[in-house]
Amino acid sequence: MTANPRITFIGAGSTVFMKNIVGDVLQRPALSGATIALMDINPQRLEESAIVVRKIASTLDAKAKVETYTDQKKALQGADFVVVAFQIGGYDPCTITDFEVPKRYGLRQTIADTLGVGGIMRGLRTVPHLWKICDDILAVCPNAIMLQYVNPMAINTWAITAKYPTIRQVGLCHSVQGTAMELAHDLDIPYEEIRYRAAGINHMAFYLKFEHRQKDGSYRDLYPDLVRGYREGRAPKPGWNPRCPNKVRYEMLTRLGYFVTESSEHFAEYTPYFIKEGREDLIEKFGIPLDEYPKRCIEQIARWKSQADEYRSADRIEVSQSKEYASEIINSVWTGEPSVIYGNVRNNGCITSLPADCAAEVPCLVDASGIQPTYIGELPPQLTALMRTNINVQELTVKALLTQNREHIYHAAMMDPHTAAELDLDQIWHLVDDLLAAHGEWLPEWARGEAKQRVA
Protein backbone atom coordinates (compact mmCIF):
# COMPACT_ATOMS: atom_id res chain seq x y z
CA MET A 1 0.00 0.00 0.00
CA THR A 2 1.30 3.44 -0.94
CA ALA A 3 1.21 6.44 1.40
CA ASN A 4 -1.73 7.94 -0.50
CA PRO A 5 -4.67 6.22 -2.20
CA ARG A 6 -5.27 6.23 -5.94
CA ILE A 7 -8.94 6.98 -6.62
CA THR A 8 -10.20 6.53 -10.18
CA PHE A 9 -13.43 8.15 -11.35
CA ILE A 10 -15.11 6.41 -14.30
CA GLY A 11 -17.61 8.87 -15.74
CA ALA A 12 -15.75 11.86 -14.34
CA GLY A 13 -17.70 14.10 -16.73
CA SER A 14 -20.54 13.92 -14.20
CA THR A 15 -18.80 17.00 -12.86
CA VAL A 16 -21.17 18.14 -10.11
CA PHE A 17 -21.38 14.68 -8.57
CA MET A 18 -17.62 14.15 -8.95
CA LYS A 19 -16.99 17.56 -7.35
CA ASN A 20 -18.98 16.53 -4.26
CA ILE A 21 -17.06 13.27 -3.84
CA VAL A 22 -13.63 14.82 -4.45
CA GLY A 23 -14.48 17.69 -2.09
CA ASP A 24 -15.42 15.17 0.62
CA VAL A 25 -12.24 13.12 0.03
CA LEU A 26 -9.81 16.03 0.06
CA GLN A 27 -11.27 17.44 3.28
CA ARG A 28 -10.14 14.27 5.10
CA PRO A 29 -6.52 14.60 6.33
CA ALA A 30 -5.58 10.99 5.56
CA LEU A 31 -6.79 11.36 1.96
CA SER A 32 -5.71 14.89 1.05
CA GLY A 33 -2.65 13.65 -0.85
CA ALA A 34 -4.62 11.19 -2.99
CA THR A 35 -4.06 10.71 -6.69
CA ILE A 36 -7.34 11.53 -8.44
CA ALA A 37 -7.53 9.79 -11.83
CA LEU A 38 -10.38 11.16 -13.94
CA MET A 39 -11.69 9.17 -16.90
CA ASP A 40 -14.46 10.11 -19.34
CA ILE A 41 -15.18 9.55 -23.02
CA ASN A 42 -16.13 13.23 -23.47
CA PRO A 43 -12.88 15.28 -23.65
CA GLN A 44 -14.61 18.59 -22.94
CA ARG A 45 -16.38 17.35 -19.82
CA LEU A 46 -13.16 15.67 -18.73
CA GLU A 47 -11.25 18.94 -19.04
CA GLU A 48 -13.94 20.80 -17.11
CA SER A 49 -13.80 18.21 -14.33
CA ALA A 50 -10.00 18.44 -14.11
CA ILE A 51 -10.23 22.23 -13.74
CA VAL A 52 -12.75 21.78 -10.90
CA VAL A 53 -10.64 19.18 -9.05
CA ARG A 54 -7.44 21.23 -9.28
CA LYS A 55 -9.20 24.35 -7.98
CA ILE A 56 -10.80 22.40 -5.11
CA ALA A 57 -7.38 20.99 -4.18
CA SER A 58 -5.84 24.47 -4.32
CA THR A 59 -8.66 25.97 -2.22
CA LEU A 60 -8.24 23.24 0.42
CA ASP A 61 -4.43 23.41 0.22
CA ALA A 62 -4.48 19.66 -0.48
CA LYS A 63 -1.48 17.96 -2.09
CA ALA A 64 -3.65 15.86 -4.39
CA LYS A 65 -2.35 14.81 -7.78
CA VAL A 66 -4.81 15.02 -10.71
CA GLU A 67 -4.59 12.88 -13.86
CA THR A 68 -6.98 12.65 -16.83
CA TYR A 69 -7.67 9.73 -19.15
CA THR A 70 -9.95 8.81 -22.02
CA ASP A 71 -8.67 5.20 -21.83
CA GLN A 72 -10.50 3.30 -19.08
CA LYS A 73 -7.92 0.56 -18.51
CA LYS A 74 -5.07 3.07 -18.16
CA ALA A 75 -7.11 5.13 -15.69
CA LEU A 76 -7.71 2.00 -13.58
CA GLN A 77 -4.07 0.92 -13.48
CA GLY A 78 -3.12 0.48 -9.81
CA ALA A 79 -6.35 2.00 -8.45
CA ASP A 80 -7.25 1.43 -4.81
CA PHE A 81 -10.80 2.74 -5.21
CA VAL A 82 -12.97 3.07 -8.30
CA VAL A 83 -15.92 5.48 -8.25
CA VAL A 84 -18.37 4.84 -11.08
CA ALA A 85 -20.99 7.40 -12.12
CA PHE A 86 -22.31 7.54 -15.67
CA GLN A 87 -25.52 7.43 -17.65
CA ILE A 88 -25.39 5.38 -20.84
CA GLY A 89 -27.26 7.20 -23.60
CA GLY A 90 -27.81 10.30 -21.49
CA TYR A 91 -30.94 12.40 -21.50
CA ASP A 92 -30.94 12.67 -25.29
CA PRO A 93 -31.70 10.21 -26.76
CA CYS A 94 -32.16 7.45 -24.21
CA THR A 95 -34.12 9.07 -21.37
CA ILE A 96 -36.39 10.75 -23.91
CA THR A 97 -37.02 7.34 -25.50
CA ASP A 98 -37.74 5.71 -22.12
CA PHE A 99 -40.51 8.26 -21.49
CA GLU A 100 -41.96 9.03 -24.92
CA VAL A 101 -42.39 5.48 -26.28
CA PRO A 102 -44.36 4.20 -23.23
CA LYS A 103 -46.47 7.38 -23.32
CA ARG A 104 -47.78 6.32 -26.74
CA TYR A 105 -49.33 3.32 -24.95
CA GLY A 106 -50.79 5.48 -22.17
CA LEU A 107 -48.07 4.40 -19.73
CA ARG A 108 -46.90 7.43 -17.76
CA GLN A 109 -43.81 7.52 -15.53
CA THR A 110 -42.11 9.86 -13.06
CA ILE A 111 -38.40 8.91 -12.92
CA ALA A 112 -38.04 5.65 -14.94
CA ASP A 113 -34.44 4.93 -13.92
CA THR A 114 -34.88 2.06 -11.44
CA LEU A 115 -37.90 -0.09 -12.23
CA GLY A 116 -40.64 -0.23 -14.85
CA VAL A 117 -39.95 -0.36 -18.57
CA GLY A 118 -37.63 2.65 -18.23
CA GLY A 119 -35.58 0.96 -15.53
CA ILE A 120 -35.42 -2.32 -17.49
CA MET A 121 -34.11 -0.53 -20.59
CA ARG A 122 -31.62 1.45 -18.55
CA GLY A 123 -30.35 -1.78 -17.01
CA LEU A 124 -29.92 -3.39 -20.43
CA ARG A 125 -27.94 -0.36 -21.63
CA THR A 126 -25.82 -0.02 -18.48
CA VAL A 127 -24.80 -3.45 -17.20
CA PRO A 128 -22.57 -4.40 -20.17
CA HIS A 129 -20.49 -1.24 -19.52
CA LEU A 130 -20.21 -2.06 -15.81
CA TRP A 131 -19.09 -5.58 -16.72
CA LYS A 132 -16.37 -4.07 -18.94
CA ILE A 133 -15.14 -2.05 -15.96
CA CYS A 134 -15.08 -5.29 -13.94
CA ASP A 135 -12.97 -6.96 -16.65
CA ASP A 136 -10.49 -4.08 -16.53
CA ILE A 137 -10.40 -4.06 -12.72
CA LEU A 138 -9.55 -7.76 -12.63
CA ALA A 139 -6.77 -7.11 -15.15
CA VAL A 140 -5.06 -4.07 -13.59
CA CYS A 141 -6.32 -3.51 -10.01
CA PRO A 142 -8.01 -6.71 -8.76
CA ASN A 143 -8.04 -5.62 -5.09
CA ALA A 144 -9.68 -2.24 -5.74
CA ILE A 145 -13.05 -1.47 -4.18
CA MET A 146 -15.69 -0.36 -6.67
CA LEU A 147 -18.05 2.34 -5.36
CA GLN A 148 -20.91 2.14 -7.82
CA TYR A 149 -23.32 5.09 -8.06
CA VAL A 150 -25.18 4.09 -11.24
CA ASN A 151 -28.90 3.42 -11.68
CA PRO A 152 -30.69 1.03 -11.85
CA MET A 153 -28.72 0.30 -8.68
CA ALA A 154 -30.29 -3.03 -7.70
CA ILE A 155 -30.14 -4.50 -11.22
CA ASN A 156 -26.53 -3.32 -11.61
CA THR A 157 -25.39 -4.69 -8.25
CA TRP A 158 -27.12 -8.03 -8.82
CA ALA A 159 -25.60 -8.36 -12.30
CA ILE A 160 -22.07 -7.52 -11.10
CA THR A 161 -22.14 -9.95 -8.17
CA ALA A 162 -23.62 -12.70 -10.38
CA LYS A 163 -20.97 -12.47 -13.10
CA TYR A 164 -17.97 -11.13 -11.14
CA PRO A 165 -18.28 -12.51 -7.60
CA THR A 166 -14.67 -11.67 -6.69
CA ILE A 167 -14.99 -7.94 -7.41
CA ARG A 168 -15.08 -5.93 -4.17
CA GLN A 169 -18.02 -3.67 -4.89
CA VAL A 170 -20.84 -1.81 -3.23
CA GLY A 171 -23.75 0.08 -4.74
CA LEU A 172 -24.22 3.48 -3.11
CA CYS A 173 -27.21 5.77 -2.88
CA HIS A 174 -27.98 8.70 -0.59
CA SER A 175 -31.67 7.94 -0.07
CA VAL A 176 -31.34 6.36 3.41
CA GLN A 177 -29.52 9.27 5.05
CA GLY A 178 -31.25 11.83 2.83
CA THR A 179 -34.76 10.72 3.79
CA ALA A 180 -33.79 10.56 7.48
CA MET A 181 -32.77 14.21 7.20
CA GLU A 182 -36.11 15.07 5.54
CA LEU A 183 -38.08 13.35 8.30
CA ALA A 184 -36.03 15.07 11.00
CA HIS A 185 -36.94 18.35 9.31
CA ASP A 186 -40.63 17.40 9.18
CA LEU A 187 -40.50 16.65 12.93
CA ASP A 188 -38.41 19.73 13.88
CA ILE A 189 -35.80 17.46 15.47
CA PRO A 190 -32.03 17.86 14.86
CA TYR A 191 -30.84 15.09 12.56
CA GLU A 192 -27.96 14.36 14.96
CA GLU A 193 -30.51 13.26 17.59
CA ILE A 194 -32.13 10.65 15.31
CA ARG A 195 -31.32 6.94 15.44
CA TYR A 196 -32.54 4.64 12.70
CA ARG A 197 -32.06 1.18 11.23
CA ALA A 198 -33.14 0.51 7.66
CA ALA A 199 -33.08 -2.49 5.34
CA GLY A 200 -34.56 -3.75 2.09
CA ILE A 201 -33.64 -3.23 -1.54
CA ASN A 202 -32.37 -0.05 -3.15
CA HIS A 203 -35.10 2.61 -3.34
CA MET A 204 -37.39 0.28 -1.39
CA ALA A 205 -35.68 -0.07 1.96
CA PHE A 206 -37.72 0.82 5.05
CA TYR A 207 -36.82 2.26 8.44
CA LEU A 208 -37.37 -0.68 10.77
CA LYS A 209 -36.63 1.74 13.64
CA PHE A 210 -36.82 5.53 13.61
CA GLU A 211 -36.19 7.02 17.03
CA HIS A 212 -35.28 10.21 18.91
CA ARG A 213 -32.58 10.20 21.59
CA GLN A 214 -33.93 11.61 24.87
CA LYS A 215 -32.05 13.65 27.47
CA ASP A 216 -31.79 10.61 29.78
CA GLY A 217 -30.16 8.55 26.99
CA SER A 218 -33.25 6.51 26.17
CA TYR A 219 -34.89 6.48 22.72
CA ARG A 220 -38.48 7.32 21.74
CA ASP A 221 -40.25 5.78 18.71
CA LEU A 222 -41.04 8.57 16.21
CA TYR A 223 -43.49 6.66 14.02
CA PRO A 224 -46.59 7.84 15.96
CA ASP A 225 -45.44 11.45 15.49
CA LEU A 226 -44.98 10.97 11.74
CA VAL A 227 -48.44 9.44 11.30
CA ARG A 228 -50.04 12.15 13.45
CA GLY A 229 -48.22 14.90 11.56
CA TYR A 230 -49.48 13.55 8.22
CA ARG A 231 -53.08 13.11 9.39
CA GLU A 232 -53.14 16.60 10.88
CA GLY A 233 -51.65 18.18 7.74
CA ARG A 234 -48.35 19.27 9.36
CA ALA A 235 -46.27 16.78 7.38
CA PRO A 236 -44.75 16.58 4.90
CA LYS A 237 -43.27 20.08 4.96
CA PRO A 238 -42.33 21.71 1.64
CA GLY A 239 -39.05 20.27 0.38
CA TRP A 240 -36.36 21.22 -2.11
CA ASN A 241 -38.61 20.57 -5.12
CA PRO A 242 -42.10 22.14 -5.17
CA ARG A 243 -43.18 19.66 -7.87
CA CYS A 244 -42.69 16.74 -5.44
CA PRO A 245 -44.77 17.15 -2.25
CA ASN A 246 -43.81 13.73 -0.80
CA LYS A 247 -47.36 12.61 0.06
CA VAL A 248 -47.09 9.11 -1.44
CA ARG A 249 -44.62 7.87 1.19
CA TYR A 250 -46.64 9.23 4.08
CA GLU A 251 -49.77 7.57 2.70
CA MET A 252 -47.90 4.27 2.43
CA LEU A 253 -46.67 4.71 6.02
CA THR A 254 -50.30 4.69 7.16
CA ARG A 255 -50.91 1.45 5.21
CA LEU A 256 -47.68 -0.45 5.92
CA GLY A 257 -46.58 0.92 9.30
CA TYR A 258 -43.09 1.78 8.01
CA PHE A 259 -41.55 4.65 6.03
CA VAL A 260 -39.73 3.94 2.77
CA THR A 261 -36.31 5.46 2.11
CA GLU A 262 -36.70 6.65 -1.49
CA SER A 263 -38.76 9.61 -2.65
CA SER A 264 -42.50 9.70 -3.32
CA GLU A 265 -41.93 10.42 -7.00
CA HIS A 266 -39.93 7.18 -7.27
CA PHE A 267 -42.27 5.15 -5.09
CA ALA A 268 -45.36 6.14 -7.10
CA GLU A 269 -44.08 4.10 -10.07
CA TYR A 270 -42.83 1.09 -8.08
CA THR A 271 -46.40 0.23 -7.08
CA PRO A 272 -49.75 -0.08 -8.92
CA TYR A 273 -51.69 2.29 -6.67
CA PHE A 274 -51.01 5.89 -7.71
CA ILE A 275 -50.57 6.40 -11.47
CA LYS A 276 -53.71 5.19 -13.22
CA GLU A 277 -55.33 6.05 -16.53
CA GLY A 278 -58.50 8.05 -15.91
CA ARG A 279 -57.65 8.69 -12.26
CA GLU A 280 -56.41 12.26 -12.39
CA ASP A 281 -57.87 12.63 -8.89
CA LEU A 282 -55.03 10.41 -7.58
CA ILE A 283 -52.41 12.42 -9.46
CA GLU A 284 -53.77 15.61 -7.92
CA LYS A 285 -54.40 14.26 -4.40
CA PHE A 286 -50.88 12.86 -3.97
CA GLY A 287 -49.05 15.40 -6.11
CA ILE A 288 -47.60 12.82 -8.50
CA PRO A 289 -44.95 14.62 -10.62
CA LEU A 290 -45.31 12.92 -14.02
CA ASP A 291 -42.31 13.28 -16.37
CA GLU A 292 -40.26 14.54 -13.42
CA TYR A 293 -36.91 13.09 -14.47
CA PRO A 294 -36.85 14.70 -17.95
CA LYS A 295 -37.65 18.04 -16.33
CA ARG A 296 -34.72 17.62 -13.93
CA CYS A 297 -32.42 16.65 -16.80
CA ILE A 298 -33.31 19.80 -18.75
CA GLU A 299 -32.83 21.97 -15.67
CA GLN A 300 -29.52 20.30 -14.83
CA ILE A 301 -28.15 20.73 -18.37
CA ALA A 302 -29.04 24.43 -18.32
CA ARG A 303 -27.59 24.85 -14.82
CA TRP A 304 -24.36 23.11 -15.78
CA LYS A 305 -23.70 25.48 -18.69
CA SER A 306 -23.61 28.47 -16.36
CA GLN A 307 -21.74 26.54 -13.63
CA ALA A 308 -19.01 25.41 -16.04
CA ASP A 309 -18.32 29.05 -16.99
CA GLU A 310 -18.25 30.05 -13.30
CA TYR A 311 -15.80 27.28 -12.43
CA ARG A 312 -13.49 28.20 -15.32
CA SER A 313 -13.22 31.83 -14.18
CA ALA A 314 -13.20 31.21 -10.41
CA ASP A 315 -9.92 31.40 -8.50
CA ARG A 316 -11.29 29.24 -5.68
CA ILE A 317 -14.00 26.59 -5.44
CA GLU A 318 -15.35 26.25 -1.92
CA VAL A 319 -16.87 22.90 -0.93
CA SER A 320 -18.82 21.67 2.07
CA GLN A 321 -19.26 18.07 3.20
CA SER A 322 -21.92 16.23 1.19
CA LYS A 323 -24.11 13.36 2.40
CA GLU A 324 -22.49 10.78 0.07
CA TYR A 325 -20.82 7.74 1.63
CA ALA A 326 -17.80 7.46 -0.70
CA SER A 327 -15.23 9.44 1.30
CA GLU A 328 -16.31 7.73 4.53
CA ILE A 329 -15.73 4.32 2.97
CA ILE A 330 -12.38 5.30 1.47
CA ASN A 331 -11.24 6.82 4.78
CA SER A 332 -12.29 3.77 6.81
CA VAL A 333 -10.60 1.28 4.50
CA TRP A 334 -7.45 3.39 4.21
CA THR A 335 -7.04 4.30 7.89
CA GLY A 336 -8.85 1.45 9.65
CA GLU A 337 -11.10 3.96 11.43
CA PRO A 338 -14.49 2.17 11.43
CA SER A 339 -17.75 3.58 10.09
CA VAL A 340 -21.22 2.33 9.25
CA ILE A 341 -22.79 3.03 5.87
CA TYR A 342 -25.83 1.75 3.96
CA GLY A 343 -24.72 -0.25 0.93
CA ASN A 344 -26.17 -2.42 -1.81
CA VAL A 345 -24.56 -5.85 -1.81
CA ARG A 346 -25.44 -9.47 -2.58
CA ASN A 347 -27.97 -10.41 0.08
CA ASN A 348 -26.26 -13.67 1.12
CA GLY A 349 -28.77 -14.21 3.94
CA CYS A 350 -28.53 -10.75 5.50
CA ILE A 351 -32.30 -10.41 4.98
CA THR A 352 -33.63 -13.92 5.43
CA SER A 353 -37.04 -13.23 3.87
CA LEU A 354 -35.50 -12.14 0.52
CA PRO A 355 -33.65 -14.28 -2.06
CA ALA A 356 -29.97 -14.93 -1.25
CA ASP A 357 -28.75 -13.71 -4.64
CA CYS A 358 -30.74 -10.46 -4.86
CA ALA A 359 -29.16 -7.08 -4.21
CA ALA A 360 -30.04 -5.98 -0.67
CA GLU A 361 -29.53 -2.57 0.92
CA VAL A 362 -28.33 -3.06 4.50
CA PRO A 363 -26.11 -1.41 7.12
CA CYS A 364 -22.45 -2.27 6.50
CA LEU A 365 -19.45 -1.99 8.80
CA VAL A 366 -16.44 -0.51 7.00
CA ASP A 367 -12.87 -0.79 8.28
CA ALA A 368 -9.45 -1.88 7.04
CA SER A 369 -10.94 -5.26 6.05
CA GLY A 370 -13.36 -3.61 3.63
CA ILE A 371 -17.16 -3.51 3.51
CA GLN A 372 -18.92 -6.03 5.75
CA PRO A 373 -22.73 -6.29 5.52
CA THR A 374 -24.63 -6.82 8.78
CA TYR A 375 -27.35 -9.38 9.54
CA ILE A 376 -30.95 -8.14 9.57
CA GLY A 377 -33.06 -11.31 9.66
CA GLU A 378 -36.68 -11.43 8.56
CA LEU A 379 -38.52 -8.28 7.48
CA PRO A 380 -42.17 -7.60 8.33
CA PRO A 381 -44.18 -9.73 5.85
CA GLN A 382 -45.95 -6.80 4.17
CA LEU A 383 -42.58 -5.18 3.38
CA THR A 384 -41.15 -8.45 2.06
CA ALA A 385 -44.21 -8.90 -0.17
CA LEU A 386 -43.91 -5.42 -1.66
CA MET A 387 -40.17 -5.78 -2.27
CA ARG A 388 -40.68 -9.10 -4.03
CA THR A 389 -42.82 -7.40 -6.69
CA ASN A 390 -39.77 -5.26 -7.53
CA ILE A 391 -37.25 -8.09 -7.13
CA ASN A 392 -39.17 -10.11 -9.76
CA VAL A 393 -38.46 -7.40 -12.35
CA GLN A 394 -34.82 -7.06 -11.28
CA GLU A 395 -34.25 -10.81 -11.37
CA LEU A 396 -35.70 -11.26 -14.86
CA THR A 397 -33.71 -8.33 -16.24
CA VAL A 398 -30.51 -9.79 -14.79
CA LYS A 399 -31.44 -13.24 -16.17
CA ALA A 400 -31.89 -11.66 -19.62
CA LEU A 401 -28.43 -10.10 -19.38
CA LEU A 402 -26.68 -13.22 -18.06
CA THR A 403 -28.30 -15.65 -20.53
CA GLN A 404 -28.76 -13.20 -23.44
CA ASN A 405 -32.34 -14.46 -23.62
CA ARG A 406 -34.53 -11.69 -25.08
CA GLU A 407 -37.72 -13.37 -23.87
CA HIS A 408 -36.82 -12.46 -20.28
CA ILE A 409 -36.96 -8.75 -21.19
CA TYR A 410 -40.65 -9.21 -22.00
CA HIS A 411 -41.13 -11.29 -18.85
CA ALA A 412 -39.56 -8.52 -16.75
CA ALA A 413 -41.93 -5.91 -18.22
CA MET A 414 -44.86 -8.27 -17.74
CA MET A 415 -44.08 -8.58 -14.02
CA ASP A 416 -43.62 -4.87 -13.40
CA PRO A 417 -46.34 -3.67 -10.97
CA HIS A 418 -47.08 -0.32 -12.64
CA THR A 419 -46.86 -1.60 -16.23
CA ALA A 420 -49.08 -4.60 -15.50
CA ALA A 421 -51.69 -2.38 -13.82
CA GLU A 422 -52.00 -0.20 -16.93
CA LEU A 423 -51.39 -2.40 -20.00
CA ASP A 424 -52.58 -5.78 -21.28
CA LEU A 425 -50.19 -8.49 -22.46
CA ASP A 426 -50.27 -7.57 -26.15
CA GLN A 427 -49.59 -3.92 -25.29
CA ILE A 428 -46.66 -4.90 -23.08
CA TRP A 429 -45.16 -7.07 -25.83
CA HIS A 430 -45.55 -4.35 -28.48
CA LEU A 431 -44.18 -1.70 -26.11
CA VAL A 432 -41.04 -3.74 -25.45
CA ASP A 433 -40.66 -4.31 -29.22
CA ASP A 434 -40.86 -0.55 -29.79
CA LEU A 435 -38.41 0.29 -27.00
CA LEU A 436 -35.84 -2.25 -28.21
CA ALA A 437 -36.13 -0.89 -31.76
CA ALA A 438 -35.94 2.73 -30.63
CA HIS A 439 -32.84 2.20 -28.47
CA GLY A 440 -31.11 0.23 -31.22
CA GLU A 441 -27.32 0.33 -30.87
CA TRP A 442 -27.46 1.66 -27.30
CA LEU A 443 -28.43 -1.91 -26.35
CA PRO A 444 -26.22 -5.01 -26.48
CA GLU A 445 -26.48 -6.76 -29.85
CA TRP A 446 -28.39 -9.78 -28.54
CA ALA A 447 -31.19 -7.55 -27.23
CA ARG A 448 -31.89 -6.04 -30.65
CA GLY A 449 -33.40 -7.92 -33.56
CA GLU A 450 -36.82 -8.94 -34.75
CA ALA A 451 -39.94 -8.14 -32.76
CA LYS A 452 -40.83 -10.93 -30.32
CA GLN A 453 -44.48 -11.65 -31.05
CA ARG A 454 -46.63 -13.77 -28.78
CA VAL A 455 -46.32 -17.52 -29.27
CA ALA A 456 -49.54 -18.85 -30.81
Side-chain angles (χ1 to χ4, degrees):
M1 183 181 280
T2 57
N4 294 299
R6 179 179 175 84
I7 306 168
T8 298
F9 287 78
I10 304 295
S14 303
T15 309
V16 175
F17 174 79
M18 183 275 314
K19 165 184 165 282
N20 291 338
I21 302 294
V22 169
D24 291 348
V25 165
L26 297 185
Q27 287 178 77
R28 293 182 180 270
L31 309 178
S32 63
T35 295
I36 308 294
L38 305 174
M39 181 271 158
D40 202 275
I41 58 172
N42 183 323
Q44 181 188 338
R45 294 299 295 267
L46 185 60
E47 183 209 359
E48 290 168 348
S49 291
I51 289 169
V52 169
V53 174
R54 290 190 176 105
K55 288 184 178 179
I56 290 172
S58 174
T59 302
L60 295 171
D61 197 25
K63 306 304 179 191
K65 182 181 176 187
V66 183
E67 301 172 355
T68 59
Y69 299 86
T70 53
D71 183 295
Q72 179 173 285
K73 201 169 197 176
K74 286 180 181 174
L76 288 168
Q77 187 79 44
D80 298 295
F81 302 93
V82 180
V83 181
V84 185
F86 53 63
Q87 184 183 344
I88 302 300
Y91 165 66
D92 188 359
C94 286
T95 294
I96 293 173
T97 300
D98 283 340
F99 275 83
E100 293 305 314
V101 174
K103 215 180 280 183
R104 297 205 295 261
Y105 288 81
L107 184 62
R108 300 173 295 175
Q109 299 171 101
T110 55
I111 305 292
D113 72 350
T114 299
L115 209 72
V117 288
I120 293 166
M121 292 298 139
R122 193 161 172 145
L124 295 174
R125 297 195 300 270
T126 304
V127 166
H129 293 270
L130 290 169
W131 281 346
K132 181 65 172 68
I133 294 171
C134 292
D135 275 333
D136 288 347
I137 287 174
L138 289 179
V140 299
C141 56
N143 293 318
I145 294 179
M146 181 199 282
L147 310 179
Q148 193 259 116
Y149 276 99
V150 185
N151 277 323
M153 178 68 64
I155 287 171
N156 294 343
T157 302
W158 194 331
I160 290 170
T161 58
K163 189 165 183 175
Y164 294 90
T166 64
I167 293 279
R168 302 171 76 194
Q169 72 98 28
V170 62
L172 297 171
C173 182
H174 52 237
S175 62
V176 173
Q177 66 272 41
T179 291
M181 291 173 188
E182 288 179 58
L183 294 181
H185 173 67
D186 285 351
L187 293 166
D188 292 316
I189 294 172
Y191 173 67
E192 296 71 27
E193 296 177 12
I194 299 285
R195 179 176 76 171
Y196 57 82
R197 185 167 175 79
I201 58 175
N202 181 240
H203 287 188
M204 200 184 270
F206 287 81
Y207 296 105
L208 305 177
K209 288 183 178 179
F210 199 80
E211 301 169 321
H212 182 204
R213 188 176 69 249
Q214 305 298 291
K215 286 187 171 60
D216 64 1
S218 64
Y219 284 85
R220 183 173 69 84
D221 179 15
L222 288 172
Y223 269 133
D225 294 18
L226 288 170
V227 172
R228 194 179 311 113
Y230 177 57
R231 288 189 167 144
E232 293 175 1
R234 290 179 285 104
K237 290 182 179 176
W240 66 275
N241 187 341
R243 293 191 299 260
C244 305
N246 203 24
K247 293 179 182 176
V248 167
R249 291 193 288 175
Y250 271 94
E251 182 66 22
M252 291 301 285
L253 165 64
T254 68
R255 312 288 179 157
L256 297 171
Y258 297 87
F259 204 92
V260 74
T261 56
E262 186 46 82
S263 66
S264 286
E265 54 270 26
H266 275 277
F267 203 70
E269 65 181 9
Y270 301 161
T271 58
Y273 313 121
F274 297 99
I275 307 172
K276 290 181 172 293
E277 185 68 30
R279 293 297 308 274
E280 299 311 299
D281 58 313
L282 292 174
I283 303 297
E284 186 175 346
K285 178 180 179 182
F286 294 108
I288 310 294
L290 297 169
D291 294 330
E292 173 61 21
Y293 187 61
K295 290 171 187 167
R296 289 186 196 176
C297 289
I298 292 166
E299 290 167 355
Q300 191 174 30
I301 291 165
R303 192 163 55 241
W304 172 245
K305 284 180 180 173
S306 62
Q307 277 185 327
D309 291 337
E310 286 174 25
Y311 288 149
R312 279 183 183 276
S313 58
D315 293 326
R316 297 167 60 82
I317 297 179
E318 303 287 348
V319 288
S320 54
Q321 205 74 30
S322 82
K323 60 187 178 187
E324 305 293 351
Y325 286 130
S327 73
E328 202 168 346
I329 293 170
I330 295 169
N331 187 69
S332 288
V333 173
W334 200 252
T335 66
E337 178 186 332
S339 63
V340 175
I341 60 100
Y342 278 83
N344 292 271
V345 295
R346 191 179 194 274
N347 183 24
N348 280 348
C350 290
I351 299 175
T352 54
S353 51
L354 297 182
D357 57 348
C358 79
E361 190 166 72
V362 294
C364 300
L365 169 67
V366 190
D367 59 18
S369 297
I371 297 161
Q372 298 145 84
T374 62
Y375 176 81
I376 295 294
E378 191 168 330
L379 295 175
Q382 70 274 27
L383 303 186
T384 296
L386 195 59
M387 287 174 205
R388 280 186 170 276
T389 66
N390 283 220
I391 289 171
N392 292 336
V393 182
Q394 295 160 6
E395 181 172 31
L396 284 160
T397 306
V398 172
K399 288 286 186 195
L401 285 154
L402 289 169
T403 62
Q404 299 190 2
N405 181 346
R406 288 177 79 246
E407 290 192 13
H408 288 326
I409 303 171
Y410 298 81
H411 298 152
M414 176 182 166
M415 297 299 167
D416 178 65
H418 174 44
T419 304
E422 294 286 277
L423 306 183
D424 66 32
L425 287 169
D426 282 340
Q427 289 174 311
I428 292 171
W429 251 246
H430 290 307
L431 169 56
V432 172
D433 287 340
D434 288 354
L435 281 166
L436 295 178
H439 281 304
E441 291 187 0
W442 288 107
L443 298 173
E445 194 172 346
W446 62 265
R448 307 171 216 159
E450 295 300 312
K452 183 71 186 176
Q453 298 301 333
R454 179 175 61 87
V455 177

